[in-house]
């Protein structure tokens, strides 16, 4: 006998982890919009509008800009499998967990990754990229903009210049930064970039916006071998997402396209500058509060990402107890440490809809209570008052 389980009733959550972030009711409502056929002229128009708004958020006029199906990782796969052919040299900058994945995938495709490393919690110094480019004739240099495992926001301008001086293509993972900090593909001469919908764009997980510059498109057209992935082959996908004669490639999730379209409308209505300022302001407040409570931020000062804060778990405090209590007693999710930071740091996300002053104040006051319960000494109200005192 089949069991019929109960109706879906997830508890309300305040999502302050590394993603997903909270989703606006407007986006949820858009997801209840009825299906259209994948070649229905009305759906094609919705796809075009979505791609167009994506260009505005990416800061690009790149024709080859649209979301691929799947989460942020599908963007990573799609970017690498189109640009890398077996035997191609790629320099991968690794300063955390996600840089490591780029190197892994590049190798699986048959590329030859050369790794440039920085300690977890630090940026990649541009000189290191230059040194690597002097040794290796790389086709691509890849780097993560906002490294979600460490809370570092990597400066890109100088590295971009170095990469292009050596005639390589510049690939940037913008999964966590897009919609929360300027990505500015055209101004920064970024050739290949991908993102995800569930971080600062304020959508549910399920699509990966991606964009290729003219130089990157040329490199794809000049490939000697077919793209190994049918699903992510840009040559095929571009005939569905653009051109006069739209051709079926795979069935898009209309629901996800509706969601992304609505999320992008919200981003552009708020205004990019205002949105970046909001992310920065709430992150500054959180950091001020945590510091006032005597906690240590682990990402290099001056390069701390506004959408993700890493903070050291105080000595003697049990990681799991705090995160469990946050979730079970207050419905608040924060992230545990990843990789080198596992058990050592928490990852607090303030992304998209989740980036609000009230969430900051709530988290600081609840943390104070839970940390005191664990025996950590903190002056009552000091975190919250540090925030309230900010102009
Ligand atoms: C979240 C994330 C990814 C992976 O995205 P998924 O949506 O989990 O597949 C890749 N890179 C970075 C920097 C991320 O933060």
């Amino acid at each position: 006998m089949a069991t019929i389980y109960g109706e879906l009733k997830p508890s309300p959550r305040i999502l302050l982890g590394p993603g997903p972030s909270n989703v606006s009711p407007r986006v949820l409502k858009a997801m209840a919009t009825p299906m259209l056929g994948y070649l229905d002229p009305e759906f094609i128009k919705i796809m075009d509008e979505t791609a167009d708004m994506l260009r505005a958020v990416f800061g690009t006029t790149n024709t080859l800009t649209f979301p691929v199906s799947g989460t942020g990782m599908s963007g990573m796969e799609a970017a690498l499998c189109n640009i890398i052919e077996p035997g191609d040299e790629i320099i991968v900058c690794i300063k955390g967990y996600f840089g490591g994945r780029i190197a892994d995938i590049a190798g699986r495709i048959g590329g030859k990754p050369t790794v440039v490393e920085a300690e977890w919690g630090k940026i990649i110094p541009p000189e290191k990229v230059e040194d690597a480019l002097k040794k290796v004739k790389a086709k691509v240099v890849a780097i993560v903009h906002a490294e979600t495992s460490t809370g570092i926001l990597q400066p890109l301008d100088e590295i971009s210049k170095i990469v292009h001086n050596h005639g390589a293509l510049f690939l940037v993972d913008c999964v966590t930064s897009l919609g929360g900090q300027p990505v500015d593909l055209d101004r920064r001469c970024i050739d290949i970039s991908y993102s995800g919908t569930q971080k600062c764009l304020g959508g549910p997980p399920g699509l990966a916006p991606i964009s290729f510059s003219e130089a990157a498109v040329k490199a794809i057209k000049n490939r000697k071998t077919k793209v190994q992935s049918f699903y992510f082959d840009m040559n095929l996908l571009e005939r569905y997402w653009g051109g006069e004669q739209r051709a079926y490639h795979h069935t898009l999730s209309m629901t996800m396209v509706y969601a992304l379209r609505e999320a992008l409308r919200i981003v552009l209505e708020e205004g990019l500058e205002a949105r970046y300022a909001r992310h920065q302001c709430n992150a500054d407040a959180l950091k001020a509060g945590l510091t006032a409570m005597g906690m240590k931020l682990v990402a290099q000062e001056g390069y701390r990402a506004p959408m993700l804060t890493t903070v050291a778990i105080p000595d003697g405090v049990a990681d799991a107890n705090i995160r469990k209590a946050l979730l079970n007693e207050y419905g608040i999710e924060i992230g545990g440490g990843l990789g080198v930071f596992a058990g050592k740091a928490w990852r607090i996300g303030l992304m998209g809809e989740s980036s609000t002053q009230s969430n900051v104040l709530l988290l600081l006051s609840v943390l104070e209570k839970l940390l005191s319960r664990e025996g950590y000494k903190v002056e009552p109200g000091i975190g919250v008052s540090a925030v309230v005192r900010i102009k």
Side-chain angles (χ1 to χ4, degrees):
M1 265 254 299
T3 307
I4 300 178
Y5 294 97
E7 195 189 336
L8 277 179
K9 273 188 221 147
S11 302
R13 295 283 191 239
I14 296 174
L15 298 173
L16 306 181
S21 54
N22 287 115
V23 170
S24 154
R26 273 176 59 179
V27 171
L28 296 177
K29 178 165 164 263
M31 294 178 81
T33 306
M35 296 306 113
L36 289 165
Y38 53 76
L39 286 175
D40 187 315
E42 286 190 28
F43 186 58
I44 300 285
K45 183 162 172 280
I46 289 166
M47 289 164 68
D48 289 348
E49 291 166 352
T50 306
D52 204 42
M53 288 192 283
L54 255 187
R55 286 186 193 95
V57 180
F58 264 130
T60 187
T61 56
N62 290 340
T63 310
L64 198 58
T65 304
F66 51 77
V68 293
S69 295
T71 64
M73 285 309 300
S74 74
M76 194 188 284
E77 296 262 8
L80 291 164
C81 76
N82 278 276
I83 215 68
I84 296 290
E85 283 189 82
D88 282 346
E89 302 274 2
I90 173 170
I91 292 172
V92 183
C93 302
I94 303 184
K95 56 180 186 302
Y97 185 80
F98 288 102
R101 281 195 171 181
I102 296 179
D104 181 349
I105 293 174
R108 285 168 191 250
I109 294 163
K112 292 160 118 185
T114 299
V115 169
V116 171
E117 268 183 299
E119 200 184 315
W120 279 53
K122 300 253 160 44
I123 60 161
I124 299 276
E127 315 82 73
K128 276 200 160 184
V129 177
E130 176 124 61
D131 288 347
L133 277 162
K134 282 178 187 156
K135 288 186 200 123
V136 183
K137 179 90 194 83
K139 180 180 188 181
V140 185
V141 174
I143 200 162
V144 175
H145 190 199
E147 179 49 82
T148 323
S149 58
T150 66
I152 280 287
L153 187 72
Q154 172 74 42
L156 298 172
D157 297 6
E158 211 180 322
I159 294 181
S160 177
K161 277 198 202 103
I162 293 168
V163 169
H164 291 109
N165 284 344
H166 284 81
L169 294 165
F170 194 30
L171 185 156
V172 182
D173 174 316
C174 293
V175 176
T176 291
S177 54
L178 189 70
Q181 273 295 289
V183 161
D184 289 347
L185 297 189
D186 289 359
R187 186 185 63 74
R188 287 185 168 136
C189 302
I190 295 169
D191 294 292
I192 305 119
S193 182
Y194 55 87
S195 188
T197 39
Q198 80 275 23
K199 303 204 180 176
C200 293
L201 287 177
L207 286 176
I210 195 165
S211 186
F212 293 83
S213 72
E214 247 175 69
V217 170
K218 214 162 125 200
I220 297 174
K221 299 289 173 209
N222 288 340
R223 287 176 63 105
K224 290 181 218 66
T225 56
K226 264 189 173 179
V227 174
Q228 135 276 328
S229 161
F230 178 90
Y231 201 65
F232 292 130
D233 187 340
M234 286 297 144
N235 297 299
L236 306 175
L237 282 169
E238 75 171 346
R239 281 182 245 150
Y240 179 34
W241 275 94
E244 286 308 302
Q245 202 56 46
R246 305 296 180 109
Y248 164 75
H249 178 264
H250 68 276
T251 309
L252 269 184
S253 161
M254 285 84 217
T255 309
M256 274 310 304
V257 175
Y258 299 154
L260 175 58
R261 183 180 178 280
E262 192 60 25
L264 290 168
R265 268 164 44 78
I266 294 172
V267 170
L268 295 174
E269 276 171 21
E270 179 176 10
L272 293 174
E273 291 312 317
R275 192 173 178 91
Y276 303 149
R278 169 166 64 84
H279 278 83
Q280 188 65 56
C281 168
N282 292 327
D284 289 345
L286 174 69
K287 287 170 171 103
L290 292 171
T291 309
M293 287 164 69
M295 300 175 80
K296 297 250 169 327
L297 304 176
V298 297
Q300 188 177 351
E301 199 170 357
Y303 303 101
R304 290 174 181 153
M307 59 289 291
L308 191 112
T309 296
T310 38
V311 59
I313 301 168
D315 286 340
V317 169
D319 175 13
N321 288 359
I322 300 283
R323 284 193 291 129
K324 246 189 240 153
L326 276 169
L327 194 67
N328 297 337
E329 296 171 37
Y330 296 90
I332 300 172
E333 178 181 273
I334 64 166
L338 203 55
V340 174
F341 290 159
K344 298 201 175 90
W346 288 313
R347 295 183 296 155
I348 305 173
L350 292 172
M351 303 179 181
E353 291 286 312
S354 294
S355 171
T356 66
Q357 184 94 199
S358 18
N359 281 347
V360 171
L361 292 170
L362 176 68
L363 179 67
L364 288 171
S365 45
V366 172
L367 261 184
E368 178 191 310
K369 180 167 176 179
L370 299 179
L371 285 169
S372 309
R373 204 159 81 185
E374 283 284 306
Y376 178 76
K377 293 224 172 351
V378 51
E379 191 184 315
I382 195 163
V384 165
S385 73
V387 173
V388 174
R389 274 186 278 108
I390 298 178
K391 288 238 170 55

